[in-house]
Amino acid sequence: MARIGVSADAPRIAVTTSQRSGWRIFPLVAFNLWLTGGRAVRWQVGKPSDLGSVDALIIGGGDDISPALYDGEWIVEARLDPDRDAMERRLAEAALDRGIPVLGICRGAQMLNVAAGGTLHGDAFAAHPRSRRYYTVLPRRRVQLEPGSRLARVAGGGEAAERLKVNALHSQAVDRLGEGFHVAARDEGGMIQAIESPGPGFALGVQWHPEHLFLVKAQRRIFAALTAAARASVSASERARA
C-alpha cells in the first residue's frame, strides 16, 4: 500500500543514519522527502544497502569521520564510527562513479569530499578562527552562496541565492576539495559550508542540517532538487530500456 501523500511511483531515496541516533534523525529526513514527493528508505550498518534498489542517496549527519580515511590529524575527543565510515565511503564512491543523485548532510558532505579524494579539517574552528562556533539546530549561522552555483539556483535566486541562515552541529569541515567538487558556500570566516559537482549529475553536500529547517522554503528546495534529480534519473533509465 502506498503511503499517504506519496505516489506509488515516487522515487526511492536511501538515507544513511547512525545506529545510535538514526531513530530520531531518519523521520525528519523522511518527512522532508515526503513533502517533495520522495520515499525514504533507511540504511544503517548491518542492514542491506544496495544502490541498485534506490533512485538516489542521502548520506546523513552523525559522528566525526575517522582521520584514517584522509590521512588527517587525530582528535582525542572525537567520537568515531569506523563501520559506518566504511559503509558510507563505499556508497559515496559508487554513487559518484555511477552518477546516482546524492546529497550529503553535514557528516555526509564531508564523506562526499573524502570519497572524491579530498581532506578535512579535524578541528574546523581551529583552522578557521574567524568562524563563529555554533552548536544548534536553530538558524544562527550566515553563509554566503557562490554566485552561479547550483546551490544558489536551488535556493531560489535573488537574496536567497546570496545568503542563507543555517544551523550548525559540526566540528569537522572540508579542507582540500575532492576531485570534481567546487565550493558552493562559505561562512563569514571562510570555512567551506557547501560543496557541489558542477557536472550533469546531482552531487551536493551541505555542512548544515536542512532537515531541521523545513519551514524555510530555500531549505525545502534542497530536498526537492534531489527528488527531482532522482525522478529524472528514473525516467532516463526507462527511456534507455525502451
PDB file of all heavy atoms in Angstrom, residues 177-213:
ATOM      1  N   LEU A 177      39.544  20.239  -1.479  1.00  0.00           N
ATOM      2  CA  LEU A 177      38.405  19.715  -2.216  1.00  0.00           C
ATOM      3  C   LEU A 177      38.745  18.407  -2.920  1.00  0.00           C
ATOM      4  O   LEU A 177      39.834  18.228  -3.454  1.00  0.00           O
ATOM      5  CB  LEU A 177      37.932  20.723  -3.253  1.00  0.00           C
ATOM      6  CG  LEU A 177      37.160  21.936  -2.739  1.00  0.00           C
ATOM      7  CD1 LEU A 177      37.011  22.957  -3.846  1.00  0.00           C
ATOM      8  CD2 LEU A 177      35.797  21.527  -2.199  1.00  0.00           C
ATOM      9  N   GLY A 178      37.762  17.500  -2.922  1.00  0.00           N
ATOM     10  CA  GLY A 178      37.893  16.275  -3.684  1.00  0.00           C
ATOM     11  C   GLY A 178      37.748  16.548  -5.174  1.00  0.00           C
ATOM     12  O   GLY A 178      37.219  17.581  -5.599  1.00  0.00           O
ATOM     13  N   GLU A 179      38.198  15.593  -5.970  1.00  0.00           N
ATOM     14  CA  GLU A 179      38.175  15.745  -7.422  1.00  0.00           C
ATOM     15  C   GLU A 179      36.745  15.942  -7.927  1.00  0.00           C
ATOM     16  O   GLU A 179      35.836  15.193  -7.573  1.00  0.00           O
ATOM     17  CB  GLU A 179      38.782  14.507  -8.085  1.00  0.00           C
ATOM     18  CG  GLU A 179      38.874  14.598  -9.596  1.00  0.00           C
ATOM     19  CD  GLU A 179      39.541  13.390 -10.222  1.00  0.00           C
ATOM     20  OE1 GLU A 179      40.014  12.521  -9.465  1.00  0.00           O
ATOM     21  OE2 GLU A 179      39.587  13.321 -11.470  1.00  0.00           O
ATOM     22  N   GLY A 180      36.567  16.962  -8.747  1.00  0.00           N
ATOM     23  CA  GLY A 180      35.265  17.215  -9.351  1.00  0.00           C
ATOM     24  C   GLY A 180      34.342  18.090  -8.537  1.00  0.00           C
ATOM     25  O   GLY A 180      33.264  18.441  -9.002  1.00  0.00           O
ATOM     26  N   PHE A 181      34.748  18.458  -7.309  1.00  0.00           N
ATOM     27  CA  PHE A 181      33.900  19.296  -6.475  1.00  0.00           C
ATOM     28  C   PHE A 181      34.367  20.741  -6.465  1.00  0.00           C
ATOM     29  O   PHE A 181      35.567  21.018  -6.542  1.00  0.00           O
ATOM     30  CB  PHE A 181      33.849  18.766  -5.033  1.00  0.00           C
ATOM     31  CG  PHE A 181      32.877  17.646  -4.843  1.00  0.00           C
ATOM     32  CD1 PHE A 181      33.307  16.330  -4.811  1.00  0.00           C
ATOM     33  CD2 PHE A 181      31.522  17.902  -4.723  1.00  0.00           C
ATOM     34  CE1 PHE A 181      32.411  15.288  -4.647  1.00  0.00           C
ATOM     35  CE2 PHE A 181      30.611  16.875  -4.560  1.00  0.00           C
ATOM     36  CZ  PHE A 181      31.058  15.556  -4.522  1.00  0.00           C
ATOM     37  N   HIS A 182      33.400  21.652  -6.360  1.00  0.00           N
ATOM     38  CA  HIS A 182      33.656  23.076  -6.226  1.00  0.00           C
ATOM     39  C   HIS A 182      33.011  23.570  -4.935  1.00  0.00           C
ATOM     40  O   HIS A 182      32.075  22.947  -4.425  1.00  0.00           O
ATOM     41  CB  HIS A 182      33.058  23.865  -7.401  1.00  0.00           C
ATOM     42  CG  HIS A 182      33.724  23.592  -8.713  1.00  0.00           C
ATOM     43  ND1 HIS A 182      33.321  24.212  -9.878  1.00  0.00           N
ATOM     44  CD2 HIS A 182      34.746  22.776  -9.063  1.00  0.00           C
ATOM     45  CE1 HIS A 182      34.076  23.800 -10.884  1.00  0.00           C
ATOM     46  NE2 HIS A 182      34.935  22.910 -10.409  1.00  0.00           N
ATOM     47  N   VAL A 183      33.484  24.695  -4.440  1.00  0.00           N
ATOM     48  CA  VAL A 183      32.868  25.316  -3.268  1.00  0.00           C
ATOM     49  C   VAL A 183      31.545  25.956  -3.684  1.00  0.00           C
ATOM     50  O   VAL A 183      31.475  26.677  -4.679  1.00  0.00           O
ATOM     51  CB  VAL A 183      33.788  26.383  -2.650  1.00  0.00           C
ATOM     52  CG1 VAL A 183      33.073  27.113  -1.511  1.00  0.00           C
ATOM     53  CG2 VAL A 183      35.081  25.754  -2.143  1.00  0.00           C
ATOM     54  N   ALA A 184      30.485  25.687  -2.912  1.00  0.00           N
ATOM     55  CA  ALA A 184      29.180  26.287  -3.193  1.00  0.00           C
ATOM     56  C   ALA A 184      28.781  27.320  -2.150  1.00  0.00           C
ATOM     57  O   ALA A 184      27.914  28.150  -2.406  1.00  0.00           O
ATOM     58  CB  ALA A 184      28.106  25.200  -3.269  1.00  0.00           C
ATOM     59  N   ALA A 185      29.423  27.287  -0.971  1.00  0.00           N
ATOM     60  CA  ALA A 185      29.096  28.267   0.076  1.00  0.00           C
ATOM     61  C   ALA A 185      30.206  28.285   1.119  1.00  0.00           C
ATOM     62  O   ALA A 185      30.860  27.271   1.376  1.00  0.00           O
ATOM     63  CB  ALA A 185      27.768  27.940   0.738  1.00  0.00           C
ATOM     64  N   ARG A 186      30.388  29.462   1.720  1.00  0.00           N
ATOM     65  CA  ARG A 186      31.327  29.643   2.835  1.00  0.00           C
ATOM     66  C   ARG A 186      30.640  30.481   3.915  1.00  0.00           C
ATOM     67  O   ARG A 186      29.681  31.201   3.634  1.00  0.00           O
ATOM     68  CB  ARG A 186      32.610  30.363   2.393  1.00  0.00           C
ATOM     69  CG  ARG A 186      33.473  29.602   1.395  1.00  0.00           C
ATOM     70  CD  ARG A 186      34.716  30.407   1.045  1.00  0.00           C
ATOM     71  NE  ARG A 186      35.527  29.812   0.009  1.00  0.00           N
ATOM     72  CZ  ARG A 186      36.514  28.941   0.220  1.00  0.00           C
ATOM     73  NH1 ARG A 186      36.830  28.627   1.474  1.00  0.00           N
ATOM     74  NH2 ARG A 186      37.199  28.433  -0.776  1.00  0.00           N
ATOM     75  N   ASP A 187      31.198  30.412   5.133  1.00  0.00           N
ATOM     76  CA  ASP A 187      30.690  31.283   6.187  1.00  0.00           C
ATOM     77  C   ASP A 187      31.557  32.532   6.278  1.00  0.00           C
ATOM     78  O   ASP A 187      32.455  32.756   5.458  1.00  0.00           O
ATOM     79  CB  ASP A 187      30.593  30.541   7.521  1.00  0.00           C
ATOM     80  CG  ASP A 187      31.952  30.190   8.125  1.00  0.00           C
ATOM     81  OD1 ASP A 187      32.994  30.652   7.613  1.00  0.00           O
ATOM     82  OD2 ASP A 187      31.971  29.447   9.121  1.00  0.00           O
ATOM     83  N   GLU A 188      31.289  33.355   7.291  1.00  0.00           N
ATOM     84  CA  GLU A 188      31.985  34.638   7.405  1.00  0.00           C
ATOM     85  C   GLU A 188      33.471  34.495   7.664  1.00  0.00           C
ATOM     86  O   GLU A 188      34.250  35.416   7.403  1.00  0.00           O
ATOM     87  CB  GLU A 188      31.342  35.487   8.521  1.00  0.00           C
ATOM     88  CG  GLU A 188      31.668  35.035   9.947  1.00  0.00           C
ATOM     89  CD  GLU A 188      30.895  33.818  10.409  1.00  0.00           C
ATOM     90  OE1 GLU A 188      30.005  33.352   9.660  1.00  0.00           O
ATOM     91  OE2 GLU A 188      31.167  33.326  11.527  1.00  0.00           O
ATOM     92  N   GLY A 189      33.895  33.341   8.170  1.00  0.00           N
ATOM     93  CA  GLY A 189      35.309  33.113   8.441  1.00  0.00           C
ATOM     94  C   GLY A 189      36.035  32.380   7.341  1.00  0.00           C
ATOM     95  O   GLY A 189      37.214  32.038   7.493  1.00  0.00           O
ATOM     96  N   GLY A 190      35.341  32.104   6.233  1.00  0.00           N
ATOM     97  CA  GLY A 190      35.967  31.427   5.106  1.00  0.00           C
ATOM     98  C   GLY A 190      35.823  29.918   5.124  1.00  0.00           C
ATOM     99  O   GLY A 190      36.266  29.236   4.195  1.00  0.00           O
ATOM    100  N   MET A 191      35.210  29.360   6.169  1.00  0.00           N
ATOM    101  CA  MET A 191      35.032  27.906   6.247  1.00  0.00           C
ATOM    102  C   MET A 191      34.053  27.444   5.171  1.00  0.00           C
ATOM    103  O   MET A 191      33.004  28.043   4.970  1.00  0.00           O
ATOM    104  CB  MET A 191      34.511  27.505   7.624  1.00  0.00           C
ATOM    105  CG  MET A 191      34.457  26.001   7.841  1.00  0.00           C
ATOM    106  SD  MET A 191      33.611  25.564   9.401  1.00  0.00           S
ATOM    107  CE  MET A 191      34.631  26.412  10.614  1.00  0.00           C
ATOM    108  N   ILE A 192      34.407  26.378   4.482  1.00  0.00           N
ATOM    109  CA  ILE A 192      33.532  25.829   3.451  1.00  0.00           C
ATOM    110  C   ILE A 192      32.275  25.267   4.100  1.00  0.00           C
ATOM    111  O   ILE A 192      32.336  24.467   5.026  1.00  0.00           O
ATOM    112  CB  ILE A 192      34.261  24.737   2.641  1.00  0.00           C
ATOM    113  CG1 ILE A 192      35.427  25.360   1.854  1.00  0.00           C
ATOM    114  CG2 ILE A 192      33.291  24.033   1.686  1.00  0.00           C
ATOM    115  CD1 ILE A 192      36.289  24.342   1.135  1.00  0.00           C
ATOM    116  N   GLN A 193      31.116  25.692   3.590  1.00  0.00           N
ATOM    117  CA  GLN A 193      29.834  25.272   4.141  1.00  0.00           C
ATOM    118  C   GLN A 193      28.996  24.450   3.160  1.00  0.00           C
ATOM    119  O   GLN A 193      27.979  23.879   3.554  1.00  0.00           O
ATOM    120  CB  GLN A 193      29.041  26.491   4.597  1.00  0.00           C
ATOM    121  CG  GLN A 193      29.648  27.208   5.784  1.00  0.00           C
ATOM    122  CD  GLN A 193      29.570  26.388   7.061  1.00  0.00           C
ATOM    123  OE1 GLN A 193      28.569  25.726   7.321  1.00  0.00           O
ATOM    124  NE2 GLN A 193      30.621  26.413   7.864  1.00  0.00           N
ATOM    125  N   ALA A 194      29.420  24.387   1.912  1.00  0.00           N
ATOM    126  CA  ALA A 194      28.727  23.540   0.940  1.00  0.00           C
ATOM    127  C   ALA A 194      29.657  23.275  -0.234  1.00  0.00           C
ATOM    128  O   ALA A 194      30.468  24.129  -0.609  1.00  0.00           O
ATOM    129  CB  ALA A 194      27.433  24.194   0.450  1.00  0.00           C
ATOM    130  N   ILE A 195      29.545  22.067  -0.794  1.00  0.00           N
ATOM    131  CA  ILE A 195      30.304  21.697  -1.985  1.00  0.00           C
ATOM    132  C   ILE A 195      29.340  21.094  -2.994  1.00  0.00           C
ATOM    133  O   ILE A 195      28.275  20.591  -2.632  1.00  0.00           O
ATOM    134  CB  ILE A 195      31.442  20.702  -1.674  1.00  0.00           C
ATOM    135  CG1 ILE A 195      30.870  19.388  -1.094  1.00  0.00           C
ATOM    136  CG2 ILE A 195      32.456  21.320  -0.712  1.00  0.00           C
ATOM    137  CD1 ILE A 195      31.910  18.290  -0.920  1.00  0.00           C
ATOM    138  N   GLU A 196      29.716  21.138  -4.254  1.00  0.00           N
ATOM    139  CA  GLU A 196      28.871  20.559  -5.289  1.00  0.00           C
ATOM    140  C   GLU A 196      29.707  20.161  -6.482  1.00  0.00           C
ATOM    141  O   GLU A 196      30.807  20.693  -6.699  1.00  0.00           O
ATOM    142  CB  GLU A 196      27.800  21.556  -5.737  1.00  0.00           C
ATOM    143  CG  GLU A 196      28.349  22.804  -6.393  1.00  0.00           C
ATOM    144  CD  GLU A 196      27.254  23.806  -6.770  1.00  0.00           C
ATOM    145  OE1 GLU A 196      26.259  23.876  -6.030  1.00  0.00           O
ATOM    146  OE2 GLU A 196      27.413  24.506  -7.780  1.00  0.00           O
ATOM    147  N   SER A 197      29.188  19.221  -7.254  1.00  0.00           N
ATOM    148  CA  SER A 197      29.788  18.852  -8.521  1.00  0.00           C
ATOM    149  C   SER A 197      29.029  19.579  -9.620  1.00  0.00           C
ATOM    150  O   SER A 197      27.807  19.460  -9.708  1.00  0.00           O
ATOM    151  CB  SER A 197      29.703  17.342  -8.738  1.00  0.00           C
ATOM    152  OG  SER A 197      30.146  16.997 -10.034  1.00  0.00           O
ATOM    153  N   PRO A 198      29.727  20.368 -10.445  1.00  0.00           N
ATOM    154  CA  PRO A 198      29.030  21.165 -11.455  1.00  0.00           C
ATOM    155  C   PRO A 198      28.655  20.382 -12.709  1.00  0.00           C
ATOM    156  O   PRO A 198      28.113  20.944 -13.641  1.00  0.00           O
ATOM    157  CB  PRO A 198      30.062  22.253 -11.785  1.00  0.00           C
ATOM    158  CG  PRO A 198      31.386  21.574 -11.568  1.00  0.00           C
ATOM    159  CD  PRO A 198      31.173  20.620 -10.410  1.00  0.00           C
ATOM    160  N   GLY A 199      28.930  19.079 -12.729  1.00  0.00           N
ATOM    161  CA  GLY A 199      28.637  18.267 -13.903  1.00  0.00           C
ATOM    162  C   GLY A 199      27.152  18.052 -14.109  1.00  0.00           C
ATOM    163  O   GLY A 199      26.302  18.604 -13.394  1.00  0.00           O
ATOM    164  N   PRO A 200      26.797  17.184 -15.071  1.00  0.00           N
ATOM    165  CA  PRO A 200      25.377  16.959 -15.388  1.00  0.00           C
ATOM    166  C   PRO A 200      24.624  16.205 -14.297  1.00  0.00           C
ATOM    167  O   PRO A 200      23.403  16.294 -14.201  1.00  0.00           O
ATOM    168  CB  PRO A 200      25.440  16.138 -16.684  1.00  0.00           C
ATOM    169  CG  PRO A 200      26.789  15.477 -16.648  1.00  0.00           C
ATOM    170  CD  PRO A 200      27.701  16.448 -15.974  1.00  0.00           C
ATOM    171  N   GLY A 201      25.311  15.440 -13.472  1.00  0.00           N
ATOM    172  CA  GLY A 201      24.653  14.714 -12.391  1.00  0.00           C
ATOM    173  C   GLY A 201      24.358  15.620 -11.209  1.00  0.00           C
ATOM    174  O   GLY A 201      24.612  16.820 -11.238  1.00  0.00           O
ATOM    175  N   PHE A 202      23.798  15.033 -10.144  1.00  0.00           N
ATOM    176  CA  PHE A 202      23.465  15.798  -8.948  1.00  0.00           C
ATOM    177  C   PHE A 202      24.303  15.268  -7.799  1.00  0.00           C
ATOM    178  O   PHE A 202      24.110  14.139  -7.342  1.00  0.00           O
ATOM    179  CB  PHE A 202      21.974  15.668  -8.619  1.00  0.00           C
ATOM    180  CG  PHE A 202      21.536  16.526  -7.457  1.00  0.00           C
ATOM    181  CD1 PHE A 202      20.935  17.753  -7.672  1.00  0.00           C
ATOM    182  CD2 PHE A 202      21.731  16.106  -6.145  1.00  0.00           C
ATOM    183  CE1 PHE A 202      20.536  18.553  -6.607  1.00  0.00           C
ATOM    184  CE2 PHE A 202      21.336  16.894  -5.072  1.00  0.00           C
ATOM    185  CZ  PHE A 202      20.743  18.121  -5.304  1.00  0.00           C
ATOM    186  N   ALA A 203      25.250  16.068  -7.335  1.00  0.00           N
ATOM    187  CA  ALA A 203      26.061  15.726  -6.170  1.00  0.00           C
ATOM    188  C   ALA A 203      26.276  17.010  -5.380  1.00  0.00           C
ATOM    189  O   ALA A 203      26.976  17.922  -5.826  1.00  0.00           O
ATOM    190  CB  ALA A 203      27.401  15.125  -6.589  1.00  0.00           C
ATOM    191  N   LEU A 204      25.660  17.097  -4.207  1.00  0.00           N
ATOM    192  CA  LEU A 204      25.674  18.299  -3.396  1.00  0.00           C
ATOM    193  C   LEU A 204      25.894  17.921  -1.939  1.00  0.00           C
ATOM    194  O   LEU A 204      25.308  16.940  -1.454  1.00  0.00           O
ATOM    195  CB  LEU A 204      24.339  19.042  -3.542  1.00  0.00           C
ATOM    196  CG  LEU A 204      24.073  20.235  -2.613  1.00  0.00           C
ATOM    197  CD1 LEU A 204      25.032  21.376  -2.905  1.00  0.00           C
ATOM    198  CD2 LEU A 204      22.619  20.695  -2.753  1.00  0.00           C
ATOM    199  N   GLY A 205      26.732  18.669  -1.252  1.00  0.00           N
ATOM    200  CA  GLY A 205      26.939  18.455   0.166  1.00  0.00           C
ATOM    201  C   GLY A 205      26.793  19.761   0.918  1.00  0.00           C
ATOM    202  O   GLY A 205      27.408  20.761   0.542  1.00  0.00           O
ATOM    203  N   VAL A 206      25.974  19.776   1.963  1.00  0.00           N
ATOM    204  CA  VAL A 206      25.800  20.978   2.781  1.00  0.00           C
ATOM    205  C   VAL A 206      26.238  20.686   4.205  1.00  0.00           C
ATOM    206  O   VAL A 206      25.951  19.615   4.747  1.00  0.00           O
ATOM    207  CB  VAL A 206      24.334  21.475   2.754  1.00  0.00           C
ATOM    208  CG1 VAL A 206      23.949  21.918   1.346  1.00  0.00           C
ATOM    209  CG2 VAL A 206      23.358  20.428   3.256  1.00  0.00           C
ATOM    210  N   GLN A 207      26.958  21.621   4.803  1.00  0.00           N
ATOM    211  CA  GLN A 207      27.518  21.413   6.127  1.00  0.00           C
ATOM    212  C   GLN A 207      26.462  21.510   7.231  1.00  0.00           C
ATOM    213  O   GLN A 207      26.667  21.047   8.347  1.00  0.00           O
ATOM    214  CB  GLN A 207      28.628  22.438   6.376  1.00  0.00           C
ATOM    215  CG  GLN A 207      29.415  22.246   7.651  1.00  0.00           C
ATOM    216  CD  GLN A 207      30.164  20.925   7.676  1.00  0.00           C
ATOM    217  OE1 GLN A 207      31.188  20.773   7.034  1.00  0.00           O
ATOM    218  NE2 GLN A 207      29.636  19.957   8.386  1.00  0.00           N
ATOM    219  N   TRP A 208      25.318  22.088   6.909  1.00  0.00           N
ATOM    220  CA  TRP A 208      24.265  22.265   7.905  1.00  0.00           C
ATOM    221  C   TRP A 208      23.221  21.140   7.793  1.00  0.00           C
ATOM    222  O   TRP A 208      23.395  20.184   7.039  1.00  0.00           O
ATOM    223  CB  TRP A 208      23.615  23.631   7.752  1.00  0.00           C
ATOM    224  CG  TRP A 208      22.972  23.909   6.426  1.00  0.00           C
ATOM    225  CD1 TRP A 208      21.676  23.681   6.067  1.00  0.00           C
ATOM    226  CD2 TRP A 208      23.589  24.484   5.264  1.00  0.00           C
ATOM    227  NE1 TRP A 208      21.443  24.080   4.771  1.00  0.00           N
ATOM    228  CE2 TRP A 208      22.596  24.571   4.258  1.00  0.00           C
ATOM    229  CE3 TRP A 208      24.886  24.940   4.981  1.00  0.00           C
ATOM    230  CZ2 TRP A 208      22.876  25.095   2.986  1.00  0.00           C
ATOM    231  CZ3 TRP A 208      25.160  25.456   3.727  1.00  0.00           C
ATOM    232  CH2 TRP A 208      24.149  25.529   2.746  1.00  0.00           C
ATOM    233  N   HIS A 209      22.143  21.263   8.574  1.00  0.00           N
ATOM    234  CA  HIS A 209      21.091  20.242   8.624  1.00  0.00           C
ATOM    235  C   HIS A 209      19.773  20.824   8.125  1.00  0.00           C
ATOM    236  O   HIS A 209      18.936  21.285   8.912  1.00  0.00           O
ATOM    237  CB  HIS A 209      20.926  19.731  10.058  1.00  0.00           C
ATOM    238  CG  HIS A 209      22.021  18.836  10.508  1.00  0.00           C
ATOM    239  ND1 HIS A 209      21.923  17.459  10.502  1.00  0.00           N
ATOM    240  CD2 HIS A 209      23.264  19.119  10.963  1.00  0.00           C
ATOM    241  CE1 HIS A 209      23.047  16.929  10.942  1.00  0.00           C
ATOM    242  NE2 HIS A 209      23.880  17.924  11.232  1.00  0.00           N
ATOM    243  N   PRO A 210      19.536  20.777   6.798  1.00  0.00           N
ATOM    244  CA  PRO A 210      18.299  21.354   6.261  1.00  0.00           C
ATOM    245  C   PRO A 210      17.050  20.616   6.723  1.00  0.00           C
ATOM    246  O   PRO A 210      15.953  21.181   6.677  1.00  0.00           O
ATOM    247  CB  PRO A 210      18.490  21.244   4.746  1.00  0.00           C
ATOM    248  CG  PRO A 210      19.459  20.128   4.566  1.00  0.00           C
ATOM    249  CD  PRO A 210      20.381  20.214   5.740  1.00  0.00           C
ATOM    250  N   GLU A 211      17.191  19.366   7.182  1.00  0.00           N
ATOM    251  CA  GLU A 211      16.009  18.626   7.613  1.00  0.00           C
ATOM    252  C   GLU A 211      15.330  19.266   8.823  1.00  0.00           C
ATOM    253  O   GLU A 211      14.122  19.075   9.042  1.00  0.00           O
ATOM    254  CB  GLU A 211      16.366  17.162   7.921  1.00  0.00           C
ATOM    255  CG  GLU A 211      17.196  16.920   9.162  1.00  0.00           C
ATOM    256  CD  GLU A 211      18.688  16.981   8.915  1.00  0.00           C
ATOM    257  OE1 GLU A 211      19.103  17.620   7.915  1.00  0.00           O
ATOM    258  OE2 GLU A 211      19.450  16.413   9.714  1.00  0.00           O
ATOM    259  N   HIS A 212      16.095  20.034   9.613  1.00  0.00           N
ATOM    260  CA  HIS A 212      15.519  20.730  10.762  1.00  0.00           C
ATOM    261  C   HIS A 212      14.856  22.059  10.370  1.00  0.00           C
ATOM    262  O   HIS A 212      14.184  22.670  11.205  1.00  0.00           O
ATOM    263  CB  HIS A 212      16.602  21.028  11.799  1.00  0.00           C
ATOM    264  CG  HIS A 212      17.082  19.814  12.537  1.00  0.00           C
ATOM    265  ND1 HIS A 212      16.378  19.224  13.554  1.00  0.00           N
ATOM    266  CD2 HIS A 212      18.212  19.078  12.394  1.00  0.00           C
ATOM    267  CE1 HIS A 212      17.046  18.186  14.017  1.00  0.00           C
ATOM    268  NE2 HIS A 212      18.158  18.068  13.335  1.00  0.00           N
ATOM    269  N   LEU A 213      15.077  22.493   9.132  1.00  0.00           N
ATOM    270  CA  LEU A 213      14.645  23.827   8.718  1.00  0.00           C
ATOM    271  C   LEU A 213      13.562  23.756   7.642  1.00  0.00           C
ATOM    272  O   LEU A 213      13.519  24.578   6.728  1.00  0.00           O
ATOM    273  CB  LEU A 213      15.864  24.618   8.199  1.00  0.00           C
ATOM    274  CG  LEU A 213      17.031  24.739   9.187  1.00  0.00           C
ATOM    275  CD1 LEU A 213      18.234  25.403   8.518  1.00  0.00           C
ATOM    276  CD2 LEU A 213      16.604  25.536  10.418  1.00  0.00           C
TER     277      LEU A 213
END
